Amino acid sequence: MEVLVTVNKNSVISEVDKRIFGSFIEHMGRAIYSGIYEPEHPSANQEGFRGDVIELVKELQVPVVRYPGGNFVSAYNWEDGIGPKEQRPTRLDLAWHSSESNQIGIHEFADWAETVGSDMMLAVNLGSRGLSDARNFLEYVNHPQGSYWSDLRRKNGREQPWGVKTWCLGNEMDGPWQIGQKTADEYGRIAYETAKAMRAFDRNLELVVCGSSSPDMPTFPEWEKTVLEHTYDAVDYISLHMYFKNHESNTARFLAQSLRMERYIDTVASTIDYVKAKKHSSKQIYISFDEWNVWYHSEEQDKKILSGQEGWPHAPAILEDVYNFEDALLVACLINSFIRKSDIVKIACLAQLVNVIAPIMTEEGGAAWRQTIFHPFKLASLHARGNALQLDIHSPCYAVEWASDVPYIDMSAVYNEEEKTLNLFIVNRHESESISLRTEFQQFQNLHVSAHQTLSGHDLQNCNSSQFPDRIRPDKGEALVIDNQQIEISVAPLSYHFIQLKE
């Protein structure tokens, strides 16, 4: 089986916004407590944050982290997480049927984000609360001094404001599972009024309005149309969320789900264009795909806690998917999709970062390790910075119910002008055949191969663990040579390749 790809340096889709390699920390499960924060851990710093986790997060170079939710935010009182820790209340979290100690709040999380080198992307509660509380939270976080909330922040130990730029106006407000679920008109009105108030404080904020919780919602895409008709002039992004499952153990179908996600993105992009035209607006709204990942492995084991059969435990082990090699291949395909859609998708948050459907896992008091999905995410986060290029791919295809033309070779390319590097990210979806991939380069000068890493040859169900943390990790690929502005490589079945070329 042969595939021909043409890469033209001048065929630019868009500059890749580094924030598509963002992530997400929610007050749920062990994402925070025994995830990023464990004062008794041997590696903990003075603030109680796990040093081993800090180093793994730094390794990923996550530019932005969404916080504090997620479903959690829709019943969250942000004031519970400020002031002396011994005076903070324990609350019952209705979203995840657990107890929240509030030992981590905005001050602590901001310190952690600064330590790992990430900006914060904060969410306000538009479920059980509204405009006034959102305005107060913004003032507490971003105003220098001289007002009630800014002076309270200073009293609580933070002299300078954090200057958070990007704010989410609630979370999944169309979902019946959400505290304070709203109709599209109800949500559109409160989101608009909240955005208007926040912009009265600072017109340069970036605001994210809630889109549908998934493309399977019965209100999709009517929800997007209605919400944007209310908010178009007051916001900058609309959010998309999507999770991926393989209960049928159908690998071909599973690895094709990146095309389903692309169709979701295209539909929302078209809806944005429709509302833009209807309003005769020159403003462009972009997409914040601020929740995405594989999520299905832990569903059965989570039922007792989420149904309330275990009472109200603090930081229970929920949504702790153990990712296998198959999941890593899909994550690589999904990242390729974000790169190819970088003209409209400017923010994306892998949900989540530690323990909860996450690339990093920990044992309480013990080890931290990289899950399989850590590796394709890291390679893209480090190297997919620059201009995404439109590829001309001639690949054999297969069919699934949402696409008749799923290419066996899934590929993206990013050219970094400053570093003079061309980075290729390649997945072979074929379950049994190697593919002879010939790539032709146009408008490049004197390219040579500087790196080749691969994830290949693993059983699809293989996982990493505390005992075997490196069972699946990138290996050095074969030596490759460019001849007459072309390169040929045999791509093994069900494999992932990262190839870097330099001018």
Side-chain angles (χ1 to χ4, degrees):
M1 187 177 293
E2 296 182 350
V3 172
L4 173 64
V5 178
T6 302
V7 184
N8 189 310
K9 184 178 179 179
N10 297 328
S11 297
V12 176
I13 299 170
S14 174
E15 182 178 3
V16 177
D17 193 314
K18 66 180 182 181
R19 293 177 299 174
I20 70 168
F21 304 108
S23 194
F24 178 29
I25 290 282
E26 183 172 358
H27 282 259
M28 66 174 298
R30 296 193 311 118
I32 290 177
Y33 306 108
S34 77
I36 67 171
Y37 179 73
E38 189 178 340
E40 297 79 18
H41 194 271
S43 73
N45 63 16
Q46 289 184 335
E47 289 76 35
F49 294 112
R50 288 183 59 147
D52 54 355
V53 172
I54 287 172
E55 292 308 310
L56 289 175
V57 174
K58 285 183 176 180
E59 196 176 318
L60 289 174
Q61 294 188 18
V62 178
V64 65
V65 179
R66 181 169 170 249
Y67 172 86
N71 294 349
F72 174 82
V73 79
S74 290
Y76 179 51
N77 301 328
W78 66 267
E79 304 93 331
D80 290 344
I82 63 175
K85 286 190 174 185
E86 63 274 11
Q87 296 179 16
R88 297 182 189 179
T90 294
R91 302 285 191 189
L92 300 183
D93 170 30
L94 302 178
W96 303 110
H97 217 280
S98 55
S99 297
E100 172 53 52
S101 67
N102 285 300
Q103 292 303 288
I104 296 296
I106 182 61
H107 286 261
E108 293 80 17
F109 186 78
D111 289 345
W112 178 84
E114 184 177 6
T115 299
V116 300
S118 298
D119 291 333
M120 293 187 291
M121 178 180 176
L122 296 180
V124 299
N125 177 357
L126 293 186
S128 65
R129 307 184 86 180
L131 183 160
S132 181
D133 300 296
R135 183 195 69 176
N136 295 344
F137 189 26
L138 173 61
E139 184 182 311
Y140 186 91
V141 170
N142 278 11
H143 193 59
Q145 62 180 350
S147 69
Y148 173 82
W149 292 109
S150 62
D151 287 345
L152 181 59
R153 181 198 69 243
R154 295 170 68 235
K155 179 182 177 182
N156 287 334
R158 173 73 184 194
E159 183 68 25
Q160 297 300 319
W162 289 290
V164 175
K165 182 180 181 181
T166 309
W167 294 76
C168 301
L169 304 176
N171 175 75
E172 294 185 356
M173 299 309 302
D174 61 334
W177 56 84
Q178 204 69 212
I179 303 300
Q181 178 195 12
K182 293 173 174 58
T183 67
D185 282 309
E186 289 170 339
Y187 172 68
R189 286 293 302 143
I190 190 173
Y192 172 72
E193 292 299 333
T194 302
K196 188 169 69 175
M198 294 176 79
R199 290 212 184 281
F201 174 84
D202 181 357
R203 68 179 64 186
N204 295 315
L205 296 176
E206 290 186 336
L207 302 180
V208 183
V209 73
C210 291
S212 295
S213 303
S214 86
D216 298 324
M217 296 298 292
T219 54
F220 174 77
E222 183 68 24
W223 172 277
E224 277 76 4
K225 181 184 82 73
T226 302
V227 167
L228 285 173
E229 286 174 342
H230 283 289
T231 64
Y232 198 92
D233 295 327
V235 302
D236 304 284
Y237 303 91
I238 186 164
S239 73
L240 279 66
H241 294 175
M242 193 172 185
Y243 293 98
F244 305 91
K245 308 176 188 298
N246 189 20
H247 290 297
E248 304 84 3
S249 298
N250 185 328
T251 298
R253 185 179 185 276
F254 185 57
L255 295 183
Q257 291 199 58
S258 57
L259 273 71
R260 182 167 166 256
M261 184 181 77
E262 289 188 26
R263 187 171 70 178
Y264 183 23
I265 292 169
D266 290 342
T267 301
V268 175
S270 297
T271 307
I272 291 170
D273 287 344
Y274 167 78
V275 178
K276 179 180 180 180
K278 183 177 180 180
K279 288 182 170 288
H280 304 283
S281 176
S282 60
K283 180 179 181 178
Q284 180 61 51
I285 299 293
Y286 294 100
I287 287 171
S288 173
F289 213 118
D290 45 46
E291 287 188 32
W292 70 274
N293 206 343
V294 175
W295 174 16
Y296 73 99
H297 297 287
S298 63
E299 287 178 342
E300 194 63 34
Q301 68 195 45
D302 292 338
K303 286 182 178 179
K304 284 187 177 181
I305 291 174
L306 298 181
S307 65
Q309 298 178 49
E310 300 293 324
W312 297 90
H314 179 257
I318 55 173
L319 278 70
E320 296 199 2
D321 272 32
V322 176
Y323 291 119
N324 57 35
F325 180 58
E326 183 181 56
D327 300 324
L329 293 174
L330 177 60
V331 164
C333 291
L334 295 168
I335 293 171
N336 280 347
S337 294
F338 287 134
I339 293 170
R340 291 192 293 263
K341 297 297 181 181
S342 56
D343 57 334
I344 189 68
V345 178
K346 300 299 182 181
I347 302 172
C349 299
L350 178 68
Q352 296 186 18
L353 189 52
V354 184
N355 287 331
V356 174
I357 47 175
I360 299 168
M361 290 293 291
T362 73
E363 289 178 339
E364 188 170 357
W369 63 96
R370 304 166 188 83
Q371 292 230 66
T372 62
I373 65 171
F374 183 101
H375 299 296
F377 185 89
K378 174 186 172 180
L379 286 169
S381 179
L382 269 58
H383 300 293
R385 309 287 177 99
N387 288 332
L389 302 182
Q390 183 70 54
L391 304 181
D392 183 15
I393 301 179
H394 298 274
S395 172
C397 299
Y398 66 95
V400 295
E401 58 262 42
W402 56 80
S404 61
D405 53 354
V406 182
Y408 282 111
I409 286 290
D410 184 84
M411 184 171 174
S412 68
V414 178
Y415 178 70
N416 188 305
E417 178 72 38
E418 182 178 345
E419 298 179 359
K420 303 297 181 184
T421 57
L422 173 63
N423 298 294
L424 308 178
F425 307 90
I426 305 162
V427 177
N428 181 359
R429 291 187 174 104
H430 204 291
E431 295 181 61
S432 59
E433 289 192 33
S434 293
I435 292 177
S436 177
L437 174 63
R438 180 161 59 93
T439 305
E440 177 181 312
F441 305 103
Q442 298 178 351
Q443 308 302 322
F444 293 93
Q445 300 297 321
N446 302 316
L447 282 173
H448 66 276
V449 178
S450 60
H452 178 200
Q453 297 188 60
T454 180
L455 293 168
S456 180
H458 299 284
D459 184 282
L460 289 178
Q461 301 307 312
N462 278 358
C463 304
N464 292 341
S465 65
S466 59
Q467 292 78 25
F468 302 99
D470 295 320
R471 179 184 281 125
I472 293 176
R473 64 178 180 182
D475 294 317
K476 186 176 180 179
E478 64 181 290
L480 301 172
V481 177
I482 295 178
D483 181 31
N484 195 27
Q485 288 296 89
Q486 295 184 11
I487 192 171
E488 292 191 22
I489 178 175
S490 178
V491 185
L494 297 175
S495 67
Y496 169 75
H497 295 256
F498 162 67
I499 300 173
Q500 183 176 81
L501 305 100
K502 286 194 174 184
E503 287 188 305

